[in-house]
Amino acid sequence: VQLQACGGGLVQAGGSLRLSCAASGRTFSSYAMGWFRQAPGKEREFVAAITWSGSTYYAPSVQGRFTISRDNAKNTVYLQMNSLKPEDTAVYYCGAVLSGSYYYWDEYDYWGQGTQVTVSS
């Protein structure tokens, strides 16, 4: 599986962005998909995940503001980010995990390149 993330950019606090992660490979629908982020000087942290069946999981810091979804027909996972805050500024990564934990980045099998999200105050 190869992953290609896009949709990052510069936005003011309170604004919105939608990240996309397109996957190649016919087994996309078998994988749970997750979004992580990494701010300068910090460790990569879990943001959200969605299972192959559509169950979703969120970090407390983004619950209620971010929504993860997937379109298996398009081999794409999305992260809708609303009410953005300066502390959301980070490089965002999408990943695919087949049987590991959704919450730990080192359990993921595949990663896309990151996309920068910058939220100005």
Side-chain angles (χ1 to χ4, degrees), residues 41-81:
K42 295 187 177 181
E43 293 188 354
R44 191 173 298 193
E45 65 173 1
F46 171 78
V47 175
I50 184 167
T51 67
W52 64 269
S53 61
S55 297
T56 57
Y57 304 87
Y58 296 95
S61 59
V62 307
Q63 181 79 48
R65 299 188 298 122
F66 291 10
T67 302
I68 189 171
S69 61
R70 67 189 297 163
D71 185 336
N72 289 335
K74 295 183 178 180
N75 279 9
T76 301
V77 62
Y78 305 97
L79 185 67
Q80 178 67 42
M81 305 185 295

Side-chain angles (χ1 to χ4, degrees), residues 18 26 28 38 46 63 65-66 75 78 87 117 121:
R18 189 175 82 155
R26 292 174 291 179
F28 169 78
Q38 188 166 19
F46 171 78
Q63 181 79 48
R65 299 188 298 122
F66 291 10
N75 279 9
Y78 305 97
E87 51 264 44
V117 172
S121 56

